Amino acid sequence: MSNKTVIPFGPQHPVLPEPIHLDLVLEDEKVVQAVPQLGFIHRGLEKIVEKRDYLHFVYVAERICGICSFGHSLGYSQAVEGLMGVEVPERAEYLRDIWQELSRIHSHLLWLGLLADGFGYENLFQQAWRLREIVLNIFEKTTGGRVILSVCNIGGVNRDIDNDELRAICDDLDKLLDGYKPITETFLDDASVHSRLDGVGYLSKEEAEDLSLVGPFGRASGLDNDIRSIGMGAYGKLAAFEPQLSNIGDGYARTEVRINEVVQSVQIIKELVSKIPDGPVYNKPKGNPPEGRFLTRVEQPRGEAVYYVKGNGSKFLERFRVRTPTSQNLAGLLKILQGCDYADVPLNILTIDPCISCTER
Amino acid sequence: MGLFKLGGVSVKNLFSKPATKTYPAEPFEPYERTKGKIVVELDKCIFCKLCMRGCPTEAIDVDKDAKLWQIDHFLCVQCGDCVRRCPKSCLHQAGMWENVATMRQCEVNEFAADSPDQLVVSMSYGQAAAERAQKDEVAQKRIAEEKARKAAEKAAKAAAKAAAEEEAAKAAVEEEAAKADAPKAEDATESDASAAFDASAGAAEPSESDAPKAEG
Ligand code: SF4
Ligand code: SF4
């Protein structure tokens, strides 16, 4: 019988941009169990809702995470709009989903870079991040900010994008796709990438279903969990929406799903731009949120996020709750870590695209 | 499948310009909408306080009577709410971040006291910070006085000690002189010097160790 060793992993580790601690129980070189420890960057953002004006809280909500900042402000706004019964102008819905898809492109490019960095392909890493810069520039041009956009608000969006600018965005995205092609080929066809990702962190569809995984992590195992397909907001106006699925279920499949989603997002943006109606973009909410509760969902780059608000008739909400994608996917992470080689642990963690500051709020 | 899929791109990169800017050598051109420091056109402002009430971080302070508009740039989160709320469109985001502020102070925009057409922009502490600064000043004064008093006391003591030792040394020298031997006179000057060193060290030490006591 072999002895078990416990190796602490994190909270500071080169592959972890954010702190999470794992106690890895090893038997020789194999991980038999991983015990997570969370709470290093808990900021109590949900509690702040009790003493911030509900209109001001949208700026707190978007600070939950630096990558899907737009998605969080969108989710909070959707929830409060549902509670108050505010009509969102149609143009605003289109603009919101354009920004949301841009966030997805930028998040996936960021992740692709981190993955390449994780297995030591520095050149690929820099290529991916250079492309991401195009999206950040679009953000800055259209909203004024690169990370914190402050553009989504309860009742619509704060700024309009005029139609010429929308077409310019499409041109920029075409340029992005040109540069994206060699990266895609490298990720999907290069032998060195294959040798690093094939079979890493395999998860079957049944296991993914049991653990209710969300986002590309679940989709790579064949789980159809894309919230965009239920057609909320402007997604309902798309001619067709096919979630990107794969049946392979390993690290390579997760890469493939995300790579395809970037291309899909560009197509979605182009379709939305061609269909966007004219009109106002903001409908000022009146009064305070009434007593009641509302729950809504948003497909973030990392998966489905759930937003819940509870009002009590005053201008302060009583409760705000987010269930972020990574808090759901951590269960899957612990599953794929069981039985993997110790040297594969960093890569396994990367393939789920963890976002710890979302998880801990 | 194959190796070096990125080869072509890498070779091209060798001969192309860097993708990044060498800021600040190369200036940054903000976009039209780029967020930045909030600036006010005070002559258009009607002091309605809408910006102040709407600001989520309470960075803005408006005084209608004094015709004063002030902002703490470090509190501002660049949400742009104030810009959108202003009924007179007199607030703007400057599109740059450089030199927003150098200290935790408010930027005060007001009219000059003697000529009401002239705008004055100054950096100062806000209300709460001003009170704190005033208290600080009083405390600092008290500390300085205490220090001066202690230092004077020590100096007087040291002077008295030095005088006494000098006298003793003189007496010794006279004694030695009476015995009339040259090398022994050197000894005396040595002890003299060490006495002076003692005195100066005695004066410097307490004034240092007093400081934290007085502040507390
Ligand atoms: S931009 Fe936002 S945080 Fe800054 S002063 Fe205006 S309202 Fe306040
Ligand atoms: S909202 Fe505009 S007009 Fe009113 S106080 Fe503020 S800056 Fe002045």
Side-chain angles (χ1 to χ4, degrees):
Chain A
M1 204 196 126
S2 57
N3 282 334
K4 284 186 178 144
T5 328
V6 179
I7 294 193
F9 185 94
Q12 304 298 328
H13 190 278
V15 301
L16 293 173
E18 296 168 299
I20 177 175
H21 177 85
L22 293 167
D23 278 319
L24 301 172
V25 183
L26 298 187
E27 220 166 69
D28 296 334
E29 281 290 298
K30 287 251 181 284
V31 179
V32 289
Q33 201 194 355
V35 185
Q37 234 181 65
L38 290 165
F40 293 96
I41 41 172
H42 173 65
R43 291 153 291 163
L45 294 182
E46 286 177 346
K47 185 80 179 161
I48 296 180
V49 83
E50 291 168 18
K51 44 188 180 185
R52 284 262 174 219
D53 190 319
Y54 76 100
L55 286 170
H56 290 166
F57 190 77
V58 66
Y59 303 118
V60 180
E62 74 177 339
R63 280 166 175 78
I64 289 176
C65 170
I67 300 169
C68 19
S69 63
F70 182 80
H72 286 302
S73 57
L74 172 64
Y76 172 75
S77 304
Q78 264 183 20
V80 178
E81 280 154 9
L83 181 65
M84 298 176 68
V86 180
E87 274 285 319
V88 183
E90 222 187 341
R91 189 178 174 87
E93 282 190 340
Y94 275 76
L95 289 176
R96 279 178 175 186
D97 288 346
I98 289 172
W99 274 311
Q100 176 68 356
E101 289 307 310
L102 283 169
S103 304
R104 191 181 319 281
I105 299 173
H106 119 79
S107 169
H108 282 352
L109 284 172
L110 177 119
W111 176 80
L112 286 171
L114 286 179
L115 180 76
D117 189 39
F119 55 65
Y121 205 152
E122 291 293 322
N123 190 354
L124 195 54
F125 160 49
Q126 299 292 346
Q127 300 296 340
W129 279 38
R130 174 157 71 181
L131 288 180
R132 178 173 164 259
E133 211 60 18
I134 297 177
V135 182
L136 292 186
N137 283 341
I138 295 176
F139 276 150
E140 192 175 353
K141 207 161 32 180
T142 55
T143 71
R146 293 168 75 81
V147 175
I148 298 292
L149 309 181
S150 306
V151 76
C152 191
N153 213 335
I154 294 157
V157 290
N158 287 333
R159 294 178 191 241
D160 198 355
I161 313 181
D162 60 37
N163 290 337
D164 292 337
E165 216 170 332
L166 283 172
R167 275 188 288 277
I169 290 176
C170 290
D171 294 343
D172 280 347
L173 290 178
D174 278 336
K175 254 182 254 160
L176 186 145
L177 280 191
D178 287 343
Y180 189 55
K181 224 171 152 213
I183 296 187
T184 326
E185 281 167 9
T186 315
F187 269 113
L188 296 182
D189 292 334
D190 198 289
S192 59
V193 178
H194 262 287
S195 69
R196 201 65 196 91
L197 287 178
D198 278 351
V200 167
Y202 172 75
L203 204 67
S204 70
K205 186 175 176 182
E206 287 69 39
E207 285 168 326
E209 217 158 358
D210 281 352
L211 297 168
S212 310
L213 298 187
V214 293
F217 189 21
R219 291 202 277 282
S221 298
L223 196 63
D224 183 358
N225 58 9
D226 203 320
I227 290 303
R228 286 178 290 175
S229 33
I230 64 172
M232 271 200 292
Y235 292 121
K237 315 280 168 29
L238 293 175
F241 178 81
E242 269 303 312
Q244 297 295 323
L245 299 179
S246 167
N247 288 320
I248 312 174
D250 60 359
Y252 177 77
R254 284 164 217 149
T255 316
E256 194 184 6
V257 165
R258 290 193 178 100
I259 279 182
N260 293 338
E261 279 189 7
V262 171
V263 182
Q264 188 191 28
S265 288
V266 173
Q267 281 162 358
I268 291 179
I269 292 174
K270 281 187 178 165
E271 191 175 339
L272 290 178
V273 166
S274 69
K275 285 185 176 169
I276 190 166
D278 286 330
V281 293
Y282 184 55
N283 179 12
K284 201 172 180 338
K286 292 188 183 66
N288 291 333
E291 243 172 76
R293 302 186 276 182
F294 199 83
L295 186 135
T296 185
R297 297 183 285 178
V298 170
E299 180 72 22
Q300 296 276 29
R302 285 164 185 74
E304 167 197 337
V306 179
Y307 298 83
Y308 164 84
V309 290
K310 183 175 177 201
N312 55 6
S314 77
K315 68 174 179 177
F316 305 109
L317 292 170
E318 201 165 301
R319 183 87 171 88
F320 169 60
R321 168 103 172 88
V322 200
R323 199 212 64 191
T324 56
T326 305
S327 59
Q328 197 66 17
N329 282 347
L330 276 179
L333 171 68
L334 300 183
K335 182 85 196 165
I336 59 175
L337 282 180
Q338 276 171 25
C340 83
D341 275 341
Y342 178 63
D344 282 343
V345 171
L347 210 58
N348 270 318
I349 294 177
L350 267 181
T351 57
I352 80 153
D353 197 2
C355 178
I356 309 299
S357 62
C358 280
T359 311
E360 299 183 355
R361 289 152 340 256
Chain B
M1 236 198 269
L3 276 170
F4 306 117
K5 287 273 174 196
L6 217 51
V9 180
S10 310
V11 172
K12 211 169 103 197
N13 281 343
L14 274 181
F15 300 102
S16 55
K17 270 196 338 186
T20 48
K21 271 205 174 107
T22 47
Y23 183 83
E26 206 178 326
F28 161 70
E29 280 297 326
Y31 293 103
E32 195 192 320
R33 286 185 174 178
T34 302
K35 294 188 215 171
K37 174 180 173 179
I38 302 286
V39 286
V40 62
E41 290 176 55
L42 203 62
D43 39 1
K44 278 207 223 157
C45 176
I46 53 169
F47 303 98
C48 64
K49 299 196 180 178
L50 278 182
C51 53
M52 175 179 146
R53 291 208 197 96
C55 176
T57 56
E58 294 165 14
I60 301 177
D61 228 332
V62 182
D63 192 332
K64 189 162 183 162
D65 301 327
K67 296 212 158 189
L68 174 151
W69 189 98
Q70 69 175 28
I71 180 169
D72 184 344
H73 285 303
F74 287 161
L75 271 183
C76 170
V77 295
Q78 309 281 333
C79 65
D81 241 27
C82 52
V83 179
R84 284 189 292 276
R85 272 166 200 253
C86 179
K88 290 283 165 188
S89 313
C90 61
L91 291 177
H92 307 284
Q93 293 204 308
M96 51 79 120
W97 298 86
E98 283 174 331
N99 300 335
V100 169
T102 49
M103 288 175 76
R104 189 64 191 265
Q105 284 180 333
C106 286
E107 182 195 305
V108 184
N109 291 260
E110 57 193 329
F111 294 105
D114 40 356
S115 59
D117 311 329
Q118 203 188 331
L119 293 172
V120 187
V121 180
S122 59
M123 299 300 281
S124 89
Y125 291 104
Q127 190 62 37
E131 276 167 22
R132 218 181 310 129
Q134 212 175 357
K135 267 189 206 156
D136 255 15
E137 222 168 81
V138 174
Q140 289 294 343
K141 227 178 182 178
R142 200 171 49 80
I143 291 166
E145 273 169 14
E146 194 85 340
K147 255 190 192 172
R149 196 178 56 77
K150 287 247 167 94
E153 244 171 46
K154 290 284 164 195
K157 251 191 210 167
K161 198 177 164 194
E165 282 196 7
E166 212 171 282
E167 237 155 67
K170 236 186 226 167
V173 170
E174 270 161 23
E175 241 171 64
E176 295 298 320
K179 286 184 183 172
D181 250 352
K184 280 183 187 167
E186 261 172 33
D187 268 3
T189 48
E190 213 171 58
S191 79
D192 209 313
S194 74
F197 174 75
D198 275 355
S200 70
E205 224 177 78
S207 67
E208 260 171 26
S209 60
D210 274 356
K213 228 189 283 166
E215 268 167 23

